[in-house]
Amino acid sequence: MRLWGKPKFWDHYDVASGPHKSLFNFRRVWLLAVVVMSVVSLLPLIFITVVNYRATKRGFESEIRLRTTRLVSNIRRSVAFFLEERRSAIEFISRLHGREELNNPARLAFILENLKKSFGGFVDLGVVDAQGNQSSYVGPYALQGKNYADQDWFQQVFQKGKYVSEVYLGYRRVPHLVIAVKHPDGNGDFYVLRATLDTERFNHMVTGAESTETGDAFLINHQGELQTPSRTFGTLLKKIPLPVPEYSSHTETFDFVTPDRTPLMIGYAYIQDSPFILLMVKDKNRLMKEWNWTRLELIGFLVFSVTVILLVILGTATYLVEQVYLADQRRVAMLHKVEYANKLASIGRLAAGVAHEINNPLAIINEKAGLIKDLFTYRSEYRADPRLIGLVDAILHSVERCAAITRRLLRFARHMEVSIQTVQLEEVVREVLGFVAKEAEYRSIEVRVEVEGEIPPFETDRGKLQQIFLNIINNAFAAVSDGGRLVITLKREKENTVSVSFADNGRGIPPEDLKRVFEPFFTTRAGQGGTGLGLSITYGLVQELGGTIQVRSTVGQGTCFTVSLPLKYEKRKREIDADTIGG
Amino acid sequence: MRILLVDDEAELVSTLTERLSFRGIEADWVTTAEEALEMAEKGSYDVAVLDIKIPRISGLTLKKLLEERHPKMKFIFLTGHGSEEDFRIGSAEAGEDYYLIKPVNLDLLIEKLKEITGAKA
């Protein structure tokens, strides 16, 4: 089968197809096979791939969500712990030391020094009385005696007992946050121990925790203002362009698309006992980078599989339909051959019957006319008129012509037994050439015999073989002009067959005549003594010997008859033949 | 030389007999196998010319019957079925006999008759 190009069945059009036309419409069969096979094999593949695609995508998303959640939780714990630790430390100090002791600046400085050393992150420390006056202060700024009574943080600590402030600039115009603890001093009064924390350390804790490049972690207050600097959203106290997430006691994530269409995954957590919300913003496109590769693999696999499957289906369908088509062609050819052989056989039978029936009255005419001639010859009284004897001769001549025709017809459908003997093929050919040697010489026709390979002696009917060869050679001689050429090639064709081909360089046979050359009475030499029986007789004889005869011809270049004969002769069952023909 | 002609076509054999007599060959004719056997009993014939197809019995069978009774008798067959040659010698069933195709060429018949009987005219 050709791998590429249009298959043979594609342009097939069966003129003879009747009610079962669709059965023999090969293109439709092919299309049906391709469509059915494609649907059956591709549909499940595409379905499975889509399911797999979506499952994998969901898996990826949930994994990055989980990772974000975990990271946010970790940072939240650290931040919460950081604040809690420092708040506890201050509370501990307020419980341990009395008000008088804390109002002693030297003592307070000593405590701040120790806090700095033990915890780090402390900037200053102050004691504020119930009226909001800072009664004692140690730290880098001059805040002694400042009143905080009207400030929010003081109100809050007054109500709740403890307070962690948002990051704010305050009097010092430096970002800081405040941790304050209210402590009762026994006689119904209270004081507040207040510490300022280093936002530097605080910032570092939040931003430094997110070591990967994929995210941006920062704190905001409940108004959405930045409490630590953000890589994406800028500096401190700026309002971020994101919604402030709803309160939740757990770490949560949500998706958000920015106005410039960047999909974000945001993880957040409210930090307990503080005004802070921890936010971690990640660019989803960058997170899904790994997914993109997997997706490419999945789609690539699908495209590759579909291509391979389609190619295989196309190839298989084409091959199979081509085989069916070729088998069908062989069947049709065989049918035509059998029909043709049957036609020839029945014509032969008819011819034989006619010839035989005519032969008897012909014999009588022959004898009667012969007798009349005899009477003229032997009896003097009839000899007077020379015209009469001329007439009788004419009758006898016509009888002879009729007899020649019936004899040929009978030869065509002869019932003689085949007489089998061992023959040398080349010898038979040479023998037959002997019959025509004179004509060949006279017309200077070149006759060449070529033997290819070794041809063993084989059993066949010598007489019939001679007849076959003689007929073909006579035909060739009739076709070539004087000085022409005839090449006879003997060849061992297969294990069990030999072939003899007769190639002449005569005028050739037109294609429309080529189909009919073996039909009885078909002749192109009607006016020149051709009866149209020669080749049909030859055809019958070759069949009787169990062989085949083929003819190829090109007009103007010549004709080649090839007779193939079996090396093993098998007797043909004429009776069975007769039955099938119905004669 | 005496000839017996056997053929179911009376017109054919009678004419043939007459023509042979013109040429000095003595011949009798019959149209059935029974008559042929009867005639063969009466006269001594050198050659029997038999049609291959005679009613009820084939020429070959008749030949066998005649041969049994008259071992010296020679045979020539006439046949309506042609072969590639005008005559042929020998076949599986008939042995070394002559076959002539109808319509018969009289000169050829006489030639063969002479040949078969050893050229005594």
Side-chain angles (χ1 to χ4, degrees), chain A residues 46-66:
Chain A
I46 291 169
F47 178 75
I48 285 291
T49 311
V50 167
V51 167
N52 188 16
Y53 179 93
R54 294 172 60 168
T56 313
K57 192 179 178 185
R58 268 203 303 277
F60 259 99
E61 271 187 4
S62 74
E63 202 192 306
I64 53 176
R65 210 171 282 281
L66 197 70

Side-chain angles (χ1 to χ4, degrees), chain A residues 567-578:
Chain A
L567 281 175
K568 284 245 158 57
Y569 177 80
E570 274 172 43
K571 194 171 169 180
R572 247 168 69 101
K573 302 272 187 293
R574 294 194 76 90
E575 295 74 25
I576 294 168
D577 248 17

Side-chain angles (χ1 to χ4, degrees), chain A residues 192-349:
Chain A
V192 172
L193 189 58
R194 174 186 179 279
T196 306
L197 288 182
D198 185 354
T199 49
E200 216 27 58
R201 267 196 75 166
F202 198 59
N203 293 350
H204 185 72
M205 220 170 84
V206 176
T207 51
E210 172 57 341
S211 53
T212 58
E213 288 294 307
T214 52
D216 182 14
F218 51 86
L219 293 175
I220 57 168
N221 61 16
H222 292 193
Q223 282 74 49
E225 291 161 355
L226 282 168
Q227 301 293 293
T228 59
S230 153
R231 269 210 303 276
T232 348
F233 301 110
T235 52
L236 221 55
L237 296 177
K238 232 178 114 185
K239 203 165 160 58
I240 56 162
L242 301 175
V244 176
E246 254 178 59
Y247 175 76
S248 165
S249 57
H250 301 286
T251 308
E252 299 282 347
T253 58
F254 66 96
D255 289 336
F256 183 78
V257 183
T258 62
D260 60 347
R261 297 191 177 283
T262 315
L264 299 175
M265 177 177 280
I266 300 168
Y268 73 92
Y270 276 71
I271 293 167
Q272 246 181 327
D273 296 328
S274 82
F276 303 128
I277 307 167
L278 174 65
L279 250 69
M280 177 167 285
V281 177
K282 289 187 171 185
D283 185 345
K284 228 173 159 184
N285 285 342
R286 292 176 69 181
L287 283 176
M288 293 297 270
K289 218 177 202 171
E290 212 175 323
W291 156 246
N292 283 344
W293 179 243
T294 309
R295 183 173 65 174
L296 202 71
E297 276 181 346
L298 272 173
I299 291 170
F301 171 77
L302 182 69
V303 169
F304 177 75
S305 304
V306 167
T307 311
V308 168
I309 288 171
L310 279 181
L311 280 177
V312 168
I313 286 173
L314 284 176
T316 312
T318 308
Y319 177 76
L320 288 180
V321 175
E322 182 90 341
Q323 291 307 304
V324 172
Y325 170 75
L326 291 177
D328 190 61
Q329 290 293 98
R330 277 197 291 276
R331 180 188 65 87
V332 168
M334 196 61 83
L335 214 64
H336 284 166
K337 220 164 160 179
V338 169
E339 260 172 33
Y340 188 64
N342 278 352
K343 192 169 136 194
L344 280 186
S346 43
I347 290 170
R349 253 149 239 282

Side-chain angles (χ1 to χ4, degrees), chain A residues 408 517-524 529-537:
Chain A
R408 275 197 214 121
V517 287
F518 294 120
E519 280 179 31
F521 305 110
F522 177 77
T523 179
T524 53
T531 56
L533 284 173
L535 277 176
S536 66
I537 289 167

Side-chain angles (χ1 to χ4, degrees), chain A residues 359 366-368 374 407, chain B residues 11 16 19 23 80 86 104:
Chain A
N359 256 358
N366 187 43
E367 293 317 318
K368 293 292 176 194
D374 284 354
R407 239 166 266 170
Chain B
E11 285 282 3
L16 212 53
R19 293 189 68 195
R23 287 160 180 77
D86 278 347
V104 176

Side-chain angles (χ1 to χ4, degrees), chain B:
Chain B
M1 154 162 76
R2 278 173 63 85
I3 313 291
L4 179 62
L5 295 164
V6 188
D7 193 310
D8 60 329
E9 292 272 2
E11 285 282 3
L12 179 70
V13 272
S14 60
T15 317
L16 212 53
T17 307
E18 203 177 342
R19 293 189 68 195
L20 284 171
S21 70
F22 275 120
R23 287 160 180 77
I25 296 169
E26 210 178 315
D28 291 317
W29 60 273
V30 290
T31 55
T32 63
E34 291 83 359
E35 284 176 300
L37 289 168
E38 211 175 293
M39 285 291 278
E41 287 304 314
K42 287 183 204 156
S44 62
Y45 296 101
D46 299 305
V47 182
V49 178
L50 307 177
D51 186 9
I52 290 263
K53 283 175 80 179
I54 30 179
R56 293 186 294 282
I57 183 170
S58 89
L60 294 172
T61 317
L62 179 57
K63 179 208 157 182
K64 276 178 195 143
L65 292 173
L66 289 168
E67 211 167 30
E68 278 170 24
R69 290 166 175 78
H70 315 283
K72 284 186 176 170
M73 195 180 265
K74 300 278 194 286
F75 298 93
I76 288 176
F77 288 103
L78 297 180
T79 173
H81 280 288
S83 162
E84 58 262 47
E85 300 96 18
D86 278 347
F87 67 91
R88 57 181 276 160
I89 305 168
S91 88
E93 297 95 341
E96 297 293 310
D97 294 307
Y98 287 102
Y99 282 76
L100 287 177
I101 310 282
K102 292 180 189 176
V104 176
N105 182 326
L106 194 65
D107 295 334
L108 195 66
L109 176 61
I110 292 166
E111 192 187 307
K112 295 301 160 194
L113 283 171
K114 283 178 179 165
E115 218 176 291
I116 213 169
T117 52
K120 50 172 189 179

